[in-house]
Amino acid sequence: MSASAVFILDVKGKPLISRNYKGDVAMSEIEHFMPLLMQREEEGALAPLLSHGRVHFLWIKYSNLYLVATTLKNANASLVYSFLYKTVEVFSEYFKELEEESIRDNFVIIYELLDELMDFGFPQTTDSKILQEYITQQGNKLETGKSRVPPTVTNAVSWRSEGIKYKKNEVFIDVIESVNLLVNANGSVLLSEIVGTIKLKVFLSGMPELRLGLNDRVLFELTGLSGSKNKSVELEDVKFHQCVRLSRFDNDRTISFIPPDGDFELMSYRLSTQVKPLIWIESVIEKFSHSRVEIMVKAKGQFKKQSVANSVEISVPVPSDADSPRFKTSVGSAKYVPEKNIVIWSIKSFPGGKEYLMRAHFGLPSVEKEEVEGRPPIGVKFEIPYFTVSGIQVRYMKIIEKSGYQALPWVRYITQSGDYQLRTS
């Protein structure tokens, strides 16, 4: 079972717009939601699912709005939450910013969208590109005689329209990996994982079928390619766009699909693997007669020498009462951000194998007090193009279309920082 009704509330809990899909829950039940939410918040027991009698409220907060689905039955909660987040995504595509004002300015089109997004409590058409084919910003002005359902809604391939034509047929593939890392004060890696996404930008005519080949370890073992010469990667938690034929992937690990037009995320994956810190940070703090402090930070690029990290930002925590900053850097620039109690050391270009230094001097006007809590960790942001830390590779991209045209696939690899922190003693 799914949702009985969907409400969009303002920050005070007042309904802005709602849609009753099944009629089995009184619309007045929403009046209990905000008092219940405030009560649970005061008790410190706030949960994404709240209940009042037999009615359950499944809710999310976005910007200054609450999106709430009500149900009487034991609903599929993950389906309802996915639907609420998808609704936010669709509305954001239509109105750029989803907030109270954009809801009030677009009542008619939102009612139309709510009718198409869900039918009798079950998600229906949730692809914004398809919805935009027949629900436009002037949707309320359409004459009923002229309106027609586009074939994409009834097609087996609901995410792609027929008759798409391009002069130049191309596919751009972005393999983006984020490194999450936590290193303790002793230099031991406490947590490391790689979260990857493969994003496509598709400019192809007709209804092409694409086949993507990766250096997937399971595939290599199935086909007998595993060996010392063939580097492979074991992917975990793989999630695909709805266009991918899952049965085909389960059978022979082939990623086969008819793509949507334009930008979309084909797949995401995760690797729980021991990652060597790509940018290693060491810091030394010296305090002089309780009146000033000197922080020395050394950064080293521990990735391949031919690679370069761009837009590197190293956030170094400083005492909350520090003032009179002075900086000296071997490369880049440093600035003090007093509202966050950090120094941000910015390095535009950081080649692999290089070492750089930054010294910061601060005055400490107040009497030194014992630091009960440890210092916050040093955070690092970066982006390394033409490089993947996992070693994942696109081995091939086959494009098959009945007209037989030739198409060019372009591949780009990017490694970037995720939650990347190094604790200091």
Side-chain angles (χ1 to χ4, degrees):
M1 296 301 294
S2 192
S4 298
V6 171
F7 297 83
I8 300 177
L9 315 179
D10 66 13
V11 75
K12 294 178 181 175
K14 184 182 174 184
L16 297 171
I17 196 165
S18 60
R19 178 70 171 85
N20 191 351
Y21 290 106
K22 297 174 74 176
D24 59 344
V25 175
M27 299 298 275
S28 59
E29 286 286 344
I30 197 65
E31 294 169 12
H32 303 293
F33 170 73
M34 190 51 76
L36 196 60
L37 183 131
M38 292 174 75
Q39 181 191 332
R40 290 292 176 86
E41 206 164 18
E42 285 173 12
E43 294 169 355
L46 193 58
L49 190 149
L50 304 172
S51 299
H52 178 263
R54 292 173 59 231
V55 178
H56 308 293
F57 301 103
L58 294 89
W59 65 279
I60 63 169
K61 188 177 183 187
Y62 182 84
S63 186
N64 58 350
L65 300 170
Y66 289 95
L67 281 80
V68 186
T70 59
T71 180
L72 278 178
K73 303 283 174 65
N74 184 15
N76 181 340
S78 59
L79 177 70
V80 176
Y81 288 120
S82 294
F83 173 78
L84 292 176
Y85 281 111
K86 194 70 186 176
T87 301
V88 167
E89 191 181 309
V90 169
F91 287 177
S92 299
E93 288 272 337
Y94 268 86
F95 315 128
K96 304 301 178 215
E97 290 291 329
L98 179 57
E99 51 192 29
E100 187 178 333
E101 190 180 343
S102 58
I103 297 291
R104 292 188 185 280
D105 291 346
N106 295 281
F107 277 140
V108 174
I109 202 164
I110 288 171
Y111 275 121
E112 288 188 48
L113 287 168
L114 289 173
D115 277 345
E116 294 299 329
L117 286 163
M118 184 170 268
D119 184 29
F120 198 67
F122 290 92
Q124 194 172 241
T125 306
T126 57
D127 191 311
S128 58
K129 287 181 184 174
I130 303 303
L131 288 165
Q132 283 168 5
E133 286 186 25
Y134 63 105
I135 298 180
T136 64
Q137 297 288 18
Q138 291 79 35
N140 54 326
K141 297 178 185 175
L142 288 175
E143 293 176 28
T144 51
K146 290 183 182 176
S147 64
R148 63 181 184 86
V149 176
T152 41
V153 174
T154 51
N155 271 0
V157 183
S158 63
W159 53 85
R160 185 178 179 89
S161 304
E162 291 182 1
I164 296 170
K165 288 184 180 177
Y166 287 101
K167 285 184 179 178
K168 193 175 183 182
N169 293 289
E170 294 178 304
V171 181
F172 296 89
I173 306 164
D174 279 352
V175 181
I176 303 166
E177 291 191 338
S178 297
V179 180
N180 296 332
L181 187 81
L182 180 61
V183 178
N184 71 7
N186 302 325
S188 304
V189 176
L190 301 178
L191 178 148
S192 73
E193 68 171 3
I194 301 162
V195 178
T197 57
I198 297 180
K199 295 181 178 180
L200 268 63
K201 192 177 279 191
V202 176
F203 304 109
L204 295 175
S205 306
M207 197 66 76
E209 179 173 332
L210 275 59
R211 288 177 195 160
L212 178 70
L214 304 172
N215 56 336
D216 174 11
R217 185 167 298 167
V218 179
L219 173 66
F220 277 25
E221 286 168 0
L222 282 171
T223 54
L225 286 171
S226 55
S228 56
K229 288 183 180 178
N230 298 305
K231 286 188 177 179
S232 60
V233 175
E234 189 168 352
L235 305 175
E236 302 167 27
D237 291 348
V238 181
K239 297 185 184 76
F240 288 111
H241 186 275
Q242 62 174 337
C243 66
V244 175
R245 295 186 175 93
L246 296 179
S247 56
R248 181 87 188 265
F249 181 77
D250 287 340
N251 286 338
D252 58 13
R253 304 291 282 192
T254 300
I255 302 169
S256 173
F257 57 99
I258 295 172
D261 190 43
D263 298 350
F264 73 103
E265 186 178 295
L266 176 69
M267 63 180 283
S268 64
Y269 58 89
R270 185 178 62 85
L271 284 92
S272 295
T273 181
Q274 197 71 15
V275 180
K276 182 182 179 183
L278 297 173
I279 295 180
W280 181 254
I281 305 292
E282 290 177 19
S283 74
V284 177
I285 299 174
E286 283 188 66
K287 290 188 178 180
F288 300 92
S289 65
H290 308 326
S291 61
R292 64 187 179 92
V293 64
E294 182 178 303
I295 302 170
M296 189 193 78
V297 178
K298 183 166 77 173
K300 184 180 181 183
Q302 298 193 138
F303 46 92
K304 293 176 182 176
K305 288 184 179 178
Q306 59 265 40
S307 295
V308 175
N310 297 326
S311 307
V312 177
E313 279 191 5
I314 300 165
S315 302
V316 184
V318 298
S320 57
D321 56 351
D323 65 7
S324 312
R326 286 185 295 118
F327 305 111
K328 189 176 181 183
T329 60
S330 60
V331 71
S333 62
K335 69 172 181 178
Y336 178 40
V337 186
E339 61 271 21
K340 294 183 179 178
N341 297 322
I342 57 170
V343 170
I344 297 178
W345 179 17
S346 302
I347 303 169
K348 195 174 179 182
S349 181
F350 196 139
K354 293 285 185 181
E355 262 188 35
Y356 297 120
L357 279 173
M358 187 269 289
R359 289 179 185 271
H361 300 262
F362 288 92
L364 291 174
S366 61
V367 179
E368 184 187 28
K369 55 184 180 293
E370 286 296 317
E371 292 183 21
V372 180
E373 295 181 9
R375 291 176 64 235
I378 293 174
V380 185
K381 291 182 183 176
F382 59 84
E383 187 174 281
I384 308 173
Y386 320 113
F387 170 78
T388 56
V389 69
S390 70
I392 194 169
Q393 289 178 341
V394 175
R395 292 171 54 239
Y396 63 83
M397 168 66 87
K398 291 180 182 174
I399 301 162
I400 304 152
E401 214 278 332
K402 61 185 177 184
S403 65
Y405 61 70
Q406 295 295 308
L408 294 169
W410 304 89
V411 184
R412 180 173 63 166
Y413 299 98
I414 301 169
T415 291
Q416 60 191 20
S417 55
D419 187 9
Y420 193 106
Q421 298 183 339
L422 299 97
R423 290 179 181 163
T424 54
S425 51

